[in-house]
Amino acid sequence: METLGTETAFEVLAKAKALEKQGKDIVHLEIGEPDFDTPKNIKEAAVKALHAGYTHYVPAAGIPELRETIAEYISRTRNIDVDPDEVVVTPGAKPIMFFSMLALVNPGEEVMYQNPGFPIYESVINFVGAKPVPIPLKEENDFRLDPNYVEENITDKTKMIVINSPENPTGGVLTKEDLKAVADCIANRDDVFVLSDEVYSRIIYKGKHESIASLPGMKEKTILLDGFSKTYAMTGWRLGYGVMQKELAQKVTQLMINSNSCTCAFVQMAGVEALKGPQDMSARMVSEFQKRREVIVSGLNNIRGITCRKPLGAFYVFPNITGTGMKCRKLSEYLLNSAGVAVLPGTAFGQYGEGYLRLSFANSVQNIQKALNRISGAFKNL
Ligand SMILES: Cc1ncc(COP(=O)(O)O)c(C=O)c1O
């Protein structure tokens, strides 16, 4: 257990809640979930499914109707041919990280991953006894990975490369050229897999989402991870999936049998409605996020000691706070305790996150303004 990490967001949330219990007013910019309600048609589909008897065990890899719907959705959006047998439905997308590494990565092998990045990758890499090989993301490169770095650091022991675009925590988005360059690095390596975390694929502010799985020869090497949490404001429902070659899908299904038996039956039927029903609510959420992005980026840039790039996707900003001369952990604690604003230190996402904070703008403009005023006030006392 000592090798297993955690997600700081949940720890900061607990601290913030404890302060609220003492009567303090906290603005929550720490947790990564849409503040919108799940669209009504999706909720109604779940209720209908409950009444229709979707209250029992279902197949471990997912209800056939949902696997077919996902296969059709991924085929259409990624321009590849996905068979329902290549889809495994899981309680949230997160288990796909855990299961794919358990299934593929042996102790002593190496896994490359973006840093700063979602902390669970590094946690699971360590847990399976593999060596984490961070790919530093640089602000001056708009937080996109440098394919040359990937090429230079691949070894005979590399088993997996984890990429995430749009990225948590930086909002960086990989271009088709970036993805092509990564694919080229492993063109001669059938033993290397790519775990492509695409949970923010629909939350993008400019251009369109590109998937490495769409590139020639890459579908078989890719585990595409996606889900419903972010796109449809369904974080608490726990519904996600992985798309991967059939043989691996069978192994991941075996891990599902050993851990969960299956994903909640009526939630899966709500997932069918989410993908097949009207998409206007999710498009509206994105345009709302876009407005908030403007507010938070310009507000942060007006505070002395902070500079902030405009994220291209997801709903996070990753401002540079080196101008304050403070370490990010100290600064985030100061903001929580003195200003009542809960944010995360950049190092919650790995060592290359020092010098940054992560703020989620999945909160109302009013709350974002309140947070900005408080941060600005607190900075005057630094
Ligand atoms: C990059 C990334 N991948 C995956 C997840 C997990 O999503 P889910 O709720 O579907 O498990 C998150 C959640 O914050 C995330 O930021």
Side-chain angles (χ1 to χ4, degrees):
M1 287 303 295
E2 275 160 25
T3 59
L4 195 64
T6 187
E7 218 184 317
T8 310
F10 289 104
E11 286 172 12
V12 174
L13 179 66
K15 270 191 208 163
K17 292 271 177 209
L19 287 171
E20 279 173 333
K21 253 196 161 161
Q22 294 167 19
K24 291 224 169 118
D25 180 58
I26 308 289
V27 184
H28 291 273
L29 302 184
E30 77 278 41
I31 210 90
E33 64 174 347
D35 55 321
F36 301 98
D37 198 7
T38 305
K40 202 165 163 231
N41 62 312
I42 300 175
K43 287 203 234 175
E44 277 168 1
V47 172
K48 198 169 148 206
L50 266 173
H51 290 302
Y54 282 90
T55 51
H56 294 270
Y57 290 132
V58 287
I63 293 176
E65 198 175 339
L66 180 59
R67 292 175 86 194
E68 280 161 24
T69 306
I70 293 167
E72 187 279 322
Y73 169 72
I74 294 296
S75 300
R76 176 164 46 84
T77 53
R78 289 6 182 238
N79 207 14
I80 47 176
D81 203 5
V82 175
D83 191 90
D85 284 346
E86 295 169 318
V87 176
V88 185
V89 178
T90 46
K94 222 180 202 177
I96 294 295
M97 299 167 198
F98 204 64
F99 293 161
S100 59
M101 287 195 208
L102 278 179
L104 289 170
V105 183
N106 296 304
E109 290 178 336
E110 295 174 3
V111 179
M112 303 180 90
Y113 63 106
Q114 297 173 158
N115 187 319
F118 191 54
I120 300 306
Y121 311 136
E122 190 178 285
S123 166
V124 182
I125 295 165
N126 282 318
F127 190 64
V128 300
K131 182 181 163 198
V133 181
I135 307 165
L137 298 186
K138 303 256 174 70
E139 184 182 353
E140 57 270 27
N141 195 30
D142 264 329
F143 297 113
R144 287 160 39 226
L145 57 72
D146 173 6
N148 291 327
Y149 187 93
V150 176
E151 188 171 18
E152 283 158 18
N153 287 278
I154 280 189
T155 72
D156 290 349
K157 290 187 178 160
T158 306
K159 189 56 168 281
M160 185 182 275
I161 303 171
V162 184
I163 55 175
N164 171 216
S165 173
E167 212 231 3
N168 176 9
T170 64
V173 170
L174 297 174
T175 63
K176 199 168 184 174
E177 287 65 40
D178 296 330
L179 297 170
K180 264 191 190 145
V182 172
D184 284 349
C185 295
I186 52 167
N188 302 322
R189 292 283 299 269
D190 286 338
D191 57 331
V192 179
F193 286 80
V194 174
L195 173 60
S196 179
D197 185 338
E198 303 182 19
V199 288
Y200 297 102
S201 60
R202 298 268 293 273
I203 305 174
I204 194 155
Y205 305 111
K206 207 174 134 198
K208 91 184 217 306
H209 170 71
E210 300 285 349
S211 172
I212 198 163
S214 312
L215 300 176
M218 283 307 294
K219 188 195 143 194
E220 288 303 303
K221 291 184 187 179
T222 304
I223 300 123
L224 191 159
L225 174 159
D226 204 343
F228 297 77
S229 287
K230 317 285 175 180
T231 308
Y232 301 104
M234 289 175 71
T235 47
W237 294 67
R238 309 312 301 136
L239 187 63
Y241 54 88
V243 176
M244 62 204 83
Q245 53 167 273
K246 205 162 145 184
E247 207 178 298
L248 180 59
Q250 285 165 358
K251 300 293 177 205
V252 170
T253 303
Q254 206 176 331
L255 286 165
M256 269 297 287
I257 293 170
N258 276 269
S259 54
N260 291 285
S261 293
C262 62
T263 302
C264 177
F266 58 87
V267 164
Q268 292 194 50
M269 295 313 286
V272 172
E273 171 61 22
L275 288 176
K276 284 192 169 164
Q279 303 294 307
D280 51 321
M281 268 304 289
S282 117
R284 235 179 294 157
M285 273 196 288
V286 177
S287 72
E288 189 56 35
F289 287 144
Q290 191 150 7
K291 281 187 218 147
R292 297 167 180 188
R293 180 182 72 144
E294 301 301 322
V295 174
I296 200 162
V297 170
S298 70
L300 286 169
N301 279 318
N302 280 334
I303 299 172
R304 232 177 63 195
I306 301 186
T307 57
C308 184
R309 282 190 183 229
K310 223 182 235 189
L312 300 176
F315 37 65
Y316 310 105
V317 280
F318 205 61
N320 184 322
I321 49 98
T322 48
T324 64
M326 270 175 97
K327 291 274 187 202
C328 62
R329 187 164 290 277
K330 260 223 132 104
L331 184 59
S332 63
E333 280 165 11
Y334 172 70
L335 289 177
L336 178 61
N337 296 320
S338 306
V341 182
V343 302
L344 297 182
T347 47
F349 302 90
Q351 78 248 44
Y352 294 103
E354 186 53 83
Y356 298 89
L357 294 177
R358 191 199 77 170
L359 286 68
S360 160
F361 51 91
N363 206 327
S364 65
V365 168
Q366 199 187 0
N367 281 336
I368 290 170
Q369 289 285 17
K370 189 158 132 187
L372 288 167
N373 290 339
R374 288 183 180 187
I375 296 171
S376 175
F379 266 50
K380 287 189 185 125
N381 300 329
L382 271 183

